[in-house]
Amino acid sequence: MKWRSLEESDSQQGARSLHAIYAERKALIAKYVPAEIQDVHSRVIEELRQSGIVNRALQVGAAAPEFELPDQNGKLVASSSLLATGRLVICFIRGRWCPFCVAQLEAMNAIIPTVKEVKASLVAISPQTVHQCYLMADQHHLQFPLLSDEGNRVARQFRLVYRVPEYQQEIYHRAFVKLPFVNGDSCWELPIPAVYVLGQQDFVETSVLYASPNPDYTERPESGEIMSFISRLPR
């Protein structure tokens, strides 16, 4: 199955909510993906929920870790440099092979002018290699840094990392999702999707202002919701 980009879809899709786009993709999965495979993915989501990973993830008010990662062109990007000019929005994603990650980043890409208006910066972080980040950024015309988090080192600081269970690894193999190749290692680890907004509040150290970690990869916050939150913050 080929997952269309927003540009490849009908001209009205750019104005649609992420929820509506996800509903369409879920309907395609329900129609074309065998029920037993859907059950495997649902089982992983439920096990992650039961594991308490969301409660362990960094929450609002926590000190924000500093990081420096290469972008899709191999250029090092430091969180401290981005935060020096305003708030920083981070989208932790699984990779270019995930249709829900693709839709989310295209939705974020569409609001880049608004991000700049509120003096904020936007990056996405995934465990995939620099080359895979380049391919994703190029294919979907991303206008913001897509950072390669080798070994999930930064995602681990945000406490988002889990190991793909062996019974799901088998499904990924069958679907040609070769994580060891895409991520450049054999650990089979991924971050749960999450959006964070980092910044200073009341002139104290940089902290987490907004957090939405979610073990269900088919649910992400709307780009408008994120920008509405930032616009309400004191300048």
Side-chain angles (χ1 to χ4, degrees):
M1 177 187 309
K2 182 180 186 296
W3 296 102
R4 301 175 301 170
S5 69
L6 298 187
E7 289 184 358
E8 294 173 310
S9 303
D10 63 86
S11 60
Q12 298 300 314
Q13 188 158 350
R16 296 168 62 201
S17 69
L18 196 58
H19 177 79
I21 295 168
Y22 278 10
E24 180 182 81
R25 299 195 173 185
K26 289 177 186 179
L28 287 172
I29 288 170
K31 183 176 181 180
Y32 293 110
V33 177
E36 60 270 22
I37 293 179
Q38 295 182 53
D39 290 343
V40 166
H41 297 316
S42 297
R43 175 184 169 187
V44 174
I45 291 170
E46 184 56 31
E47 288 179 351
L48 284 169
R49 284 194 178 114
Q50 295 297 327
S51 76
I53 191 170
V54 169
N55 294 330
R56 293 194 299 273
L58 286 196
Q59 305 293 325
V60 172
E66 290 190 12
F67 59 84
E68 185 177 63
L69 293 171
D71 68 9
Q72 63 266 32
N73 298 308
K75 177 184 176 183
L76 288 176
V77 175
S79 60
S80 57
S81 297
L82 298 174
L83 285 161
T85 61
R87 274 83 186 208
L88 173 59
V89 182
I90 305 173
C91 296
F92 283 94
I93 65 166
R94 307 192 307 161
R96 64 187 292 254
W97 50 271
C98 171
F100 297 93
C101 295
V102 168
Q104 179 188 26
L105 294 199
E106 288 186 319
M108 297 302 294
N109 204 43
I111 63 165
I112 287 296
T114 308
V115 172
K116 293 179 178 178
E117 283 178 12
V118 298
K119 309 297 183 185
S121 300
L122 167 66
V123 300
I125 297 178
S126 81
Q128 60 194 3
T129 64
V130 169
H131 179 63
Q132 295 294 321
C133 288
Y134 172 81
L135 294 175
M136 186 178 193
D138 181 64
Q139 179 180 0
H140 302 288
H141 311 293
L142 301 183
Q143 300 176 44
F144 55 89
L146 180 49
L147 308 183
S148 173
D149 185 18
E150 181 182 358
N152 283 291
R153 287 175 294 185
V154 174
R156 208 176 305 279
Q157 289 181 281
F158 282 78
R159 303 173 196 155
L160 302 171
V161 181
Y162 72 98
R163 187 172 189 273
V164 177
E166 291 186 4
Y167 66 85
Q168 191 180 40
Q169 290 180 30
E170 179 184 351
I171 298 298
Y172 283 160
H173 276 303
R174 287 159 53 186
F176 302 104
V177 178
K178 300 178 180 179
L179 288 188
F181 173 77
V182 173
N183 294 350
D185 61 46
S186 58
C187 65
W188 283 89
E189 289 183 334
L190 290 173
I192 61 169
V195 176
Y196 282 91
V197 177
L198 310 183
Q200 287 190 334
Q201 193 82 327
D202 300 325
F203 304 102
V204 298
E205 66 178 352
T206 301
S207 61
V208 175
L209 306 179
Y210 174 99
S212 70
N214 193 331
D216 187 344
Y217 61 88
T218 70
E219 297 178 0
R220 319 281 171 102
E222 298 284 348
S223 56
E225 173 190 329
I226 298 164
M227 296 316 302
S228 177
F229 171 82
I230 294 175
S231 67
R232 294 195 302 269
L233 295 172
R235 299 294 177 92

